[in-house]
Each structure stands twice: as structure tokens, then as C-alpha cells.
Amino acid sequence: MPTPSDLSRRDALLALGAAAVTVSTSPLGAASPVSTAGRMDAVAVRAGRLNQSVARWCFARTPINDLCASAKNMGLMGVDLLGDTEWAVPKQYGLQCTMGNSFGAIPVGFNRLNQHDKLVADGEAMIPKAAAAGVRKIVVFSGNRGGLSDGEGIANCITGLKRLMPTAEQHGVVLCMEMLNSKVDHKDYHADHTAWAVEVAKGVNSLSFRLLYDIYHMQVMEGDVIATIKANLPWIAHFHTAGVPGRNEIDGGQELNYRGIAEFIAGTGYEGVLAHEFLPKREGMKSLREAVEVCTV
């Protein structure tokens, strides 16, 4: 059987979809594998300046109720990247779904004019449901280049996303385009640099469209993380973490100083979410607790 580190994001999401019918509706007091020691972490995290969350797909083999119980005990505010069948589960634990899964797909996104009608129809169907469930952010994707120039891709994304802004604005939902690396994980992905995605955000020109800055992906593509965040923070509504290289734990075995990055982000007065999206090589909840401690500043 493959380990969690063998999973791709796409594989994990497919697995979660298949398992959705078995989601438990156990109450907050239900038994979980989390020890009472985790309750001490909750106090520390609440005292920190960053709102932390965890990406569901990275812990795809952990039942959603167990993940929510662990997140609550660690003081996290929610769970990231949930499909609509799981949106309601975090509420049972006093948590939020901090980012909903997309109505599109990573390779096929808003940079293709011939995809706009379907994406807009799917988005207009999902956004009101997300808002009603208390889900205030949904991830969206540029799609792969497929031979398009940067200028064409930016212009096409602006055109398609603008069609969804009236619905998103009406319901108070923010669509967040995620920047991903095209060097290792997502070959040919178009929004692979911050500057490219910022041009899309400027063109859409709505508070209901912002960027998801994935620290792992942008370190792989361009580095200079803190300076890039500083220059573009008004356009960023969400962060993801993972270690570089490997997309694993954010500990001392990888090249990024996540403590320093967290200190910088918190120092800006950022009020959004920093969600942990790493694939643990060790025991998952222990690694997650360690990541939370690193970013509690």
C-alpha cells in the first residue's frame, strides 16, 4: 500500500470523493485518537497571531471526524480543501471549512476561453451553496498553458473570472487562484509565478478574487519568499505551507525558515489563514502538531 507521501493531490481528492459516503456525523464528544496532551497546544495556538488550518487531502487516510478532532485540540481554526460533502463536518467541532475545493480542475482552468461557460455555470451553482454552508473561500486554477502565451492566459483568466464576480460578490465568497510550480509537481501549469497571478488579480479588480500563495510551490519556482509576499500581500488571501524539497514536514530538514516566514506574515497584520499542506513522512498528527508549533508566533 502506498504511503501518504506517495499520494498526489489529484489521487487524494479522488480517494476522498469515493469515501465521502462514509463520513461520520459523530458529535463533538466522540472518541478520537487524539491524546489530551493536544489540548495544551490549543492554548498556545490561540495565543498566536496567525489563523492556522490543515489541508484535508494531505491526511486522506484519516477519517474527517478524527482530523477535525485533532485540529480542534491543536487550536487550529479549520480544515482546508474540503468537498461539499464534508463542508458541514468541521462545524461539529467548532471549526470552519477554511477553503472549499474548486469547481474546476488544475490542468483545465480559466485560461481557456472554451472552458468558461462550464466553469461559470459550475461556479454559479457552487458559490451560493458554499456561502450558505459558511464556506467563504473557494480555490480556482489557471489551467495548463498548452501553448498559450502569458498574455493570452492572463487576459482569458480575467475574462472568465469577471463573469463570476457578481455572484461571488453577492454571496460574500472569495475565489482564490492558487499558484503552483510547473517544475516538479504540475508540469505546464500557467499560474506558476506570483507576478503572473497578480496581473490576473489586478485585471479582475474585485475583492471577491484574490490569490492563494503556496509557499512551497513559489519557493520551487522563484524563491525570495518574504520579499515576494511583502510586495504582493494586498492580493494574497490565503497561504499554504510545505517543506522544500519534497513537500514534506516544515522542520529543520528542509530549506525554508518557516518560523521566520510566519513571524513576517504575522507582523504585517495579516488576518487570513495559513494552512498546512504538507505530506507527512512520519506520524501524521505528530508532524502536524510540530508544524503548528513552528508557525505559532
Side-chain angles (χ1 to χ4, degrees):
M1 178 178 291
T3 66
S5 60
D6 294 323
L7 285 170
S8 71
R9 180 163 169 180
R10 186 184 306 170
D11 291 339
L13 293 175
L14 288 171
L16 288 171
V21 294
T22 65
V23 170
S24 169
T25 56
S26 60
L28 180 59
S32 81
V34 182
S35 71
T36 55
R39 301 181 191 280
M40 297 177 62
D41 296 325
V43 176
V45 174
R46 282 197 294 270
R49 292 173 290 165
L50 290 176
N51 299 312
Q52 297 186 57
S53 180
V54 56
R56 170 74 176 113
W57 75 274
C58 298
F59 298 89
R61 293 188 177 89
T62 301
I64 182 64
N65 294 89
D66 292 346
L67 182 60
C68 287
S70 296
K72 181 66 174 180
N73 285 340
M74 292 180 204
L76 302 186
M77 71 171 297
V79 181
D80 238 45
L81 300 176
L82 294 177
D84 57 1
T85 59
E86 293 182 331
W87 284 348
V89 181
K91 293 180 183 179
Q92 301 172 40
Y93 298 82
L95 303 174
Q96 302 174 24
C97 171
T98 46
M99 178 75 71
N101 273 333
S102 183
F103 44 85
I106 291 173
V108 183
F110 283 92
N111 66 344
R112 294 281 167 188
L113 292 174
N114 62 2
Q115 295 297 322
H116 286 181
D117 286 349
K118 179 173 179 11
L119 287 169
V120 170
D122 291 347
E124 288 182 338
M126 178 180 283
I127 289 167
K129 293 178 183 177
V135 179
R136 294 299 171 183
K137 288 186 283 188
I138 299 172
V139 64
V140 296
F141 303 107
S142 67
N144 288 355
R145 285 180 178 82
L148 287 176
S149 69
D150 281 350
E152 288 176 298
I154 290 167
N156 291 347
C157 283
I158 292 169
T159 297
L161 287 160
K162 274 190 168 183
R163 291 174 58 183
L164 279 172
M165 288 305 99
T167 302
E169 291 164 1
Q170 177 187 349
H171 292 279
V173 171
V174 180
L175 304 184
C176 296
M177 180 170 284
E178 185 169 12
M179 291 94 80
L180 305 170
N181 83 75
S182 60
K183 186 184 294 185
V184 178
D185 299 286
H186 301 284
K187 300 292 186 181
D188 202 44
Y189 186 72
H190 217 153
D192 61 353
H193 281 78
T194 307
W196 191 98
V198 166
E199 288 304 307
V200 175
K202 288 178 178 178
V204 175
N205 191 29
S206 170
L207 293 176
S208 282
F209 179 76
R210 284 295 183 266
L211 305 179
L212 194 173
Y213 184 94
D214 189 301
I215 298 167
Y216 159 76
H217 285 296
M218 290 301 94
Q219 172 68 4
V220 170
M221 290 304 300
E222 59 192 20
D224 208 14
V225 167
I226 288 178
T228 303
I229 293 171
K230 181 178 180 181
N232 298 288
L233 191 60
W235 305 107
I236 298 171
H238 209 82
F239 289 95
H240 279 169
T241 76
V244 182
R247 196 174 190 158
N248 304 122
E249 282 85 349
I250 63 170
D251 56 19
Q254 51 84 50
E255 68 193 35
L256 286 163
N257 175 11
Y258 266 101
R259 184 76 173 187
I261 294 169
E263 288 275 9
F264 172 77
I265 294 171
T268 68
Y270 172 74
E271 296 180 349
V273 172
L274 182 144
H276 298 292
E277 197 192 19
F278 63 89
L279 292 166
K281 291 192 296 185
R282 301 186 294 276
E283 195 278 312
M285 293 302 104
K286 182 175 185 295
S287 289
L288 178 58
R289 185 175 292 109
E290 290 170 353
V292 169
E293 290 171 355
V294 166
C295 294
T296 299
V297 294

